[in-house]
């Protein structure tokens, strides 16, 4: 039965998160932006509300609410401040990475520190991206070489969300150089391991509350037990050629779906602020929203918000209900591209319809426009989501090299 | 209440049944219907009987606001989820042939205004025409558009004047779907153009009424199997009992509202049909690309093709969800004028993009007309889906009025 209303439990959670976004996040967005981080009191409240682990499964220490509930809450948070959910203590992308790539027991151990009282100041990260592609083969420049019951990691990892805040990373490196993107390995790396150098964070266009940075791995020793090999069960979708690659793509998909939910929240915020401005700003004797060129633009953005949200909901629902993985991946790819692109249009039109005022930092819309572009580069870009969607539409094998962000195509912040 | 995206078992079965019919029976004849400007009556009869037996998509069905199971004046059973069922069926049927649903016998677009405004006696009389479709096929139609008034419905000039017991109508109606074959047309006219919407009256004009005649049958870009007629009203004498709702119904702005109510209810169906046609073109393009391109080559050109396919796929998917939402709101008795317009605007555009992109991706071959190669036909058929039942621009006006405060007109 087709239905579009959150259930009672979801409504209650959405209401309380919306209240938090309205009273705590929205009024302080410029303060957070200037501080380039969330203050401790906000992080503490978010931690008490359990927002850092939302979306993770119960068997690994998450609340087990399902992705559908998670995207409902992420939309509200991003409505308050699109940067904020990056700045709460919590595992972030690290959570989805270990959920998909590690055993449940291993993942629970890795996530336990985030559930403790001090979790509001603990971060996780995923070291996927690299500044350059290898010249002579496909895959990653970073390599992992076996050394007895250890692996030795060498390379430079870039575009890492919360790199300078994280205690632990899932770092990706080439295990078998002859297999390109099908020969990667995932390793748990700790900040204080010898050979790990965290570089200073970058200054970015938007999402200042997040921290985007990089790290260098120099002969970093990782115990074999900390190599994450994906589920032992065979992959559910025939198109995915190994359990590890299946888990890798699922990780990117779910993490990106959360970004898409944030994009919906951002779009809604931009739309609402702009609608209100156009309702009250008078020109030529009437509200500017009473001119068709303006009103039609608002109508288009309203459609964008609603359609992006429906796509995000459906993708999350497919994951939660155990639908065939290809269906869930396709719906996710659609949701990610659509939500990212509509957030950019929402931010752009928000500034445009505010006119000169929109360009001024007195108004929040210029921040939303910068955040929208930054958010489009988080998780998976619309371009990569399109490659994923097309591969599924055409029944092609899912090649991580084609559908995941990388230096040889287009990097994204993971 | 919950968030859910699965169809009911019955909806899945209906969808599968219509799909099988579309593959085995409808598509093989689609091009010949287009070339012959119509669908043979014996085929329409079989489909109509079948649609009735499926319960959904009977010619009497339009999106309804009634949340619970009721039987309306035409005797159609309405059950829970009927609006979603209707759009699921409409998408599938249009996937088979874009004109078929429009050609099905029954009251068509004339049904909603009668249901919304007609007196009990009128409902029984006019829906009575369709009681037995096993012997004779009959149609109803909806005549609003004029040469000088399309989207600007308030600007109609067809006049009506009470003379004795009759109303005398004068004017021309154009682009009327099934207008020539219809047993009756719901005709909108005005007692005085200066009164705007307040001057509007709706009449059921029966075939054979003195002064009523059919003008030209239009030759169109697409949907050529569907009849589009011009109607001429030349001192047409309509009995007073055919004034829809009776004189008392027009003391408010109801006349105009009657015209508009029709659209709130039918826009999701038109959106679903558009999506069905867009999906047909999209699937055609996917198959073509699979057969003709080597997609695993990491050449930028192929990435661009992949991106275009993905874009079409996601726009159709987004529009479908918007359509489900509008229909699901109607199933729950929630007003959905804004959402209906949203899905209509998105559905029409997504489907047009799908057809345009599909032809481009298939190259020269995509534009060739041949049996089992219906892409060029869909390209011709789809354009009007962003025009009839309110253009994309009109949908944006409807949406805008519900976004801005105190915006009554532009």
């Amino acid at each position: 039965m087709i239905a579009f209303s959150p259930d009672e439990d979801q409504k209650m959670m959405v209401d309380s998160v919306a209240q938090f976004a309205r009273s705590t996040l929205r009024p302080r967005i410029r303060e957070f932006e200037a501080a380039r981080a969330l203050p401790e009191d906000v992080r503490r409240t978010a931690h008490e509300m359990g927002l850092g682990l939302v979306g993770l499964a119960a068997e690994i220490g998450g609340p087990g609410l399902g992705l559908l509930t998670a995207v409902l809450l992420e939309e509200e948070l991003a409505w308050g401040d699109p940067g904020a959910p990056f700045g709460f203590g919590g595992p972030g992308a690290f959570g989805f990475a270990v959920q998909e790539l590690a055993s449940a027991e291993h993942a629970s151990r890795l996530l336990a520190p985030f559930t403790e009282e001090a979790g509001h100041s603990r971060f996780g990260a995923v070291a996927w991206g690299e500044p350059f592609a290898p010249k002579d083969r496909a895959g990653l420049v970073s390599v992992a070489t076996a050394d007895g019951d250890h692996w030795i990691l060498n390379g430079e990892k870039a575009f890492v969300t919360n790199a300078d805040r994280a205690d632990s990373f899932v770092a990706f490196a080439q295990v078998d150089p002859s297999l390109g993107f099908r020969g990667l390995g995932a390793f748990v790396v700790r900040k204080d391991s010898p050979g790990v150098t965290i570089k200073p964070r970058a200054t970015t266009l938007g999402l200042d509350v997040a921290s985007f940075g990089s790290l260098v791995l120099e002969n970093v020793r990782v115990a074999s037990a900390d190599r994450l090999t994906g589920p032992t069960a065979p992959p559910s979708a025939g198109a995915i050629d190994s359990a590890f690659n299946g888990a890798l793509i699922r990780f990117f998909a779910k993490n990106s779906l959360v970004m898409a939910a944030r994009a919906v929240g951002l779009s809604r915020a931009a739309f609402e602020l702009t609608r209100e401005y156009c309702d009250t700003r008078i020109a030529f004797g009437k509200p500017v929203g009473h001119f068709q060129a303006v009103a039609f633009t608002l109508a288009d953005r309203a459609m964008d918000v609603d359609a992006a949200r429906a796509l995000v909901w459906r993708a999350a629902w497919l994951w939660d209900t155990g639908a065939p993985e290809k269906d869930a991946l396709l719906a996710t790819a659609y949701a990610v591209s659509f939500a990212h692109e509509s957030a950019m249009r929402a931010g752009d039109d928000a500034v445009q319809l505010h006119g000169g005022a929109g360009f001024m930092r007195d108004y929040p819309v210029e921040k939303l426009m910068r955040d929208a572009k930054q958010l489009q580069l988080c998780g998976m870009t619309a371009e990569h989501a399109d490659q994923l969607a097309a591969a599924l539409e055409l029944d092609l094998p899912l090649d991580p090299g084609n559908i995941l962000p990388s230096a040889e195509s287009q990097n994204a912040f993971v | 209440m919950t968030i859910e995206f699965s169809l009911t078992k019955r909806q899945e079965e209906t969808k599968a049944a219509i799909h099988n019919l579309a593959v085995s029976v409808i598509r093989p004849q689609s091009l010949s219907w287009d070339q012959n400007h119509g669908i043979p009556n014996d085929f329409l009869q079989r489909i109509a009987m079948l649609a009735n037996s499926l319960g959904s998509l009977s010619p009497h069905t339009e999106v309804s606001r009634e949340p619970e199971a009721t039987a309306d004046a035409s005797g159609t059973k309405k059950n829970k989820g009927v609006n979603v069922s209707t759009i699921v069926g409409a998408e599938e049927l249009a996937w088979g042939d874009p004109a078929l649903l429009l050609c099905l016998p029954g009251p068509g677009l004339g049904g909603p205004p009668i249901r919304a405004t007609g007196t009990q006696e009128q409902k029984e009389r006019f829906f009575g025409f369709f009681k037995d479709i096993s012997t004779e096929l009959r149609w109803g139609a909806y005549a609003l558009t004029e040469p000088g008034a399309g989207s600007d419905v308030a600007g109609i000039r067809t006049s009506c004047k009470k003379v004795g017991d009759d109303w005398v109508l004068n004017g021309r109606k154009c682009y009327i779907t099934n207008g020539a074959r219809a047993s009756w047309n719901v005709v909108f006219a005005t007692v005085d153009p200066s009164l705007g919407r307040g001057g509007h009256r709706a009449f059921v004009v029966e075939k054979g009424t003195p002064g009523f005649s059919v003008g030209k049958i239009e030759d169109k870009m697409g949907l050529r199997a569907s009849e589009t007629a011009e109607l001429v009203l030349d001192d047409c004498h309509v009995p007073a009992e055919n004034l829809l709702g009776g004189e008392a119904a027009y003391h408010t702005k109801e006349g105009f509202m009657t015209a508009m109510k029709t659209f709130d209810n039918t826009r999701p169906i038109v959106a679903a049909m558009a999506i069905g046609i867009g999906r047909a073109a999209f699937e055609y393009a996917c198959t073509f690309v699979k057969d003709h391109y080597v997609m695993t080559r990491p050449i930028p050109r192929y990435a661009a093709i992949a991106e275009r396919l993905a874009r079409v796929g996601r726009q159709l998917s987004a529009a479908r969800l918007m359509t489900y939402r509008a229909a699901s709101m109607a199933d729950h008795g929630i007003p959905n004028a804004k959402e209906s317009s949203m899905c209509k605007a998105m559905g029409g555009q997504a489907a047009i993009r799908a057809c345009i992109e599909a032809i481009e991706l298939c190259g020269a071959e995509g534009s060739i007309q041949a049996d089992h190669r219906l892409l060029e036909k869909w390209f011709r058929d789809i354009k009007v889906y962003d025009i009839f039942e309110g253009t994309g621009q009109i949908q944006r006006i409807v949406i805008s009025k519900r976004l801005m405060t105190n915006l009554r007109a532009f």
Side-chain angles (χ1 to χ4, degrees), chain A residues 198-284:
Chain A
I198 311 288
K199 292 192 154 179
R201 68 183 277 188
T203 302
T204 52
L205 173 69
L207 296 178
D208 291 81
V209 169
S211 169
F212 299 108
S214 53
L215 58 151
V216 177
L217 306 170
E218 218 170 346
N219 291 323
V220 177
R221 284 176 72 80
V222 178
S224 291
D226 275 337
R227 178 177 175 190
L228 307 179
T229 51
T232 44
S236 63
I240 299 173
D241 54 5
S242 80
F244 179 81
N245 283 339
L248 177 63
I249 291 166
R250 271 201 308 281
F251 150 61
F252 267 95
K254 291 183 183 178
N255 189 47
S256 301
L257 185 59
V258 167
M259 300 304 152
R262 291 178 190 171
V264 174
L266 187 159
S267 307
R268 193 181 102 210
F271 166 75
E272 286 176 2
L273 289 164
T274 309
R275 192 213 67 81
E276 208 173 296
Y277 184 84
C278 295
D279 223 10
T280 48
R281 169 80 183 176
I282 308 289
F284 306 101

Side-chain angles (χ1 to χ4, degrees), chain B residues 160-189:
Chain B
C160 56
K161 199 173 154 191
K162 190 86 182 274
V163 179
D165 282 345
D166 289 351
W167 286 84
V168 178
L169 274 60
N170 277 290
R172 272 169 189 274
K173 294 290 178 180
C174 63
Y175 310 149
I176 310 306
T177 300
N178 296 328
R181 64 175 67 163
S183 301
W184 47 253
N185 274 273
V186 175
V187 174
F188 291 80

Side-chain angles (χ1 to χ4, degrees), chain A residues 19 33 42-43 48 52 112 129 134 146 164 173 176 179 192-193 203 237 254 270 285 287 300 321 331 354 370 380 403:
Chain A
Q19 168 66 22
E33 187 187 18
V42 175
R43 280 187 282 120
E48 280 159 12
D164 64 342
D176 184 344
L179 291 176
D192 44 16
S193 299
T203 302
K254 291 183 183 178
D300 284 338
T321 51
H354 276 72
R370 288 184 290 114
M380 188 187 256
I403 59 183

Side-chain angles (χ1 to χ4, degrees), chain B residues 109-111 113-114 141-144 184-188 202-205 244 258:
Chain B
L109 278 180
I114 293 180
Y142 177 90
L144 180 63
W184 47 253
N185 274 273
V186 175
V187 174
F188 291 80
F203 300 90
V204 182
V205 179
L244 208 52
T258 301

Side-chain angles (χ1 to χ4, degrees), chain B residues 63-390:
Chain B
V63 167
S64 144
R65 283 262 161 104
E66 294 157 61
E68 292 305 320
T70 52
D72 66 12
S74 65
T76 309
K77 286 268 187 293
K78 291 201 160 72
N79 51 20
K80 253 191 142 179
V82 70
N83 295 299
V84 172
S85 302
T86 302
I87 62 162
V88 168
E91 175 180 336
E92 228 45 53
L93 207 54
W95 181 91
D97 181 83
L100 178 54
L101 183 56
L102 302 178
C103 295
L104 287 182
L109 278 180
I114 293 180
R115 200 159 294 135
T117 320
T119 63
Q120 194 55 37
E121 183 274 326
Q122 287 173 332
K123 287 179 192 174
E124 279 163 25
R125 187 151 48 101
F126 297 122
F127 286 124
F129 277 76
F130 312 103
K131 273 217 174 92
D132 187 8
I133 55 167
S134 61
T135 48
E136 191 194 345
L137 294 186
R138 283 180 169 155
W139 290 265
Y142 177 90
L144 180 63
T145 300
E146 299 180 0
S151 295
D152 181 14
V153 171
I156 56 169
R157 288 292 175 272
T158 294
S159 65
C160 56
K161 199 173 154 191
K162 190 86 182 274
V163 179
D165 282 345
D166 289 351
W167 286 84
V168 178
L169 274 60
N170 277 290
R172 272 169 189 274
K173 294 290 178 180
C174 63
Y175 310 149
I176 310 306
T177 300
N178 296 328
R181 64 175 67 163
S183 301
W184 47 253
N185 274 273
V186 175
V187 174
F188 291 80
T190 177
V191 289
D192 178 356
S194 71
L195 295 176
R197 297 160 187 189
H200 287 189
R201 300 290 181 272
F203 300 90
V204 182
V205 179
E206 295 173 55
K207 203 175 202 166
T209 304
F212 171 85
S213 62
V214 174
K216 78 169 181 180
I217 305 294
E218 300 289 345
D219 191 20
K220 308 190 294 297
M221 174 187 184
L223 285 186
R224 295 168 71 84
S226 166
E227 173 190 281
T228 305
E230 180 190 34
L231 306 179
V232 182
L233 302 145
D234 184 11
D235 279 336
C236 176
H237 281 252
V238 179
E241 66 261 29
N242 282 20
L243 173 65
L244 208 52
E247 186 64 29
Y250 297 90
H251 294 157
T252 59
K253 280 186 177 173
E254 273 300 292
F256 182 75
M257 294 321 288
T258 301
M260 289 296 104
K261 263 180 198 161
T262 304
F263 294 127
D264 282 358
N265 294 344
T266 52
R267 277 170 182 159
I269 301 179
V270 177
M273 292 172 74
I275 291 161
I277 302 160
R279 192 184 103 210
F282 172 62
E283 289 171 2
Y284 189 103
C286 282
T287 306
F288 186 94
V289 168
K290 260 192 272 189
D291 292 347
H292 291 80
Y293 290 78
V294 187
M295 290 298 295
T296 48
R297 279 190 202 152
I299 298 172
R301 179 163 160 241
Y302 297 135
I305 287 167
E307 190 175 324
R308 292 172 86 166
L309 280 176
R311 184 176 300 272
V312 169
R314 97 170 93 104
Q315 283 170 344
L316 289 171
S317 185
R320 181 180 297 111
L321 290 173
M322 297 289 269
T323 308
Y324 282 165
R325 180 178 68 158
S328 155
M329 287 171 80
D331 278 335
H332 289 97
I334 304 167
N336 67 348
K338 183 177 83 177
E339 291 75 13
S340 287
S341 282
M342 283 183 162
C343 73
K344 168 71 172 60
M346 288 191 73
Q349 271 181 358
I352 289 167
R353 283 316 307 170
C355 292
I356 292 174
E357 295 279 348
I359 292 229
E360 286 178 16
L361 288 168
C362 296
E365 225 175 311
S367 67
I368 292 172
Q369 184 181 89
D371 269 336
H372 308 295
R373 282 158 71 174
L374 299 167
L375 186 54
E376 71 78 33
K377 177 180 177 302
W378 296 328
F379 182 96
R380 289 186 284 108
D381 289 339
I382 193 59
K383 183 60 209 168
V384 76
Y385 279 81
D386 201 26
I387 298 173
F388 62 12
E389 306 257 331

Side-chain angles (χ1 to χ4, degrees), chain B residues 35-50:
Chain B
Q35 290 163 341
N36 301 327
H37 307 278
I39 302 174
N41 271 359
D42 60 333
F43 184 81
L44 286 177
Q45 188 153 23
R46 293 216 312 276
I47 292 283
M49 305 280 276
L50 190 82

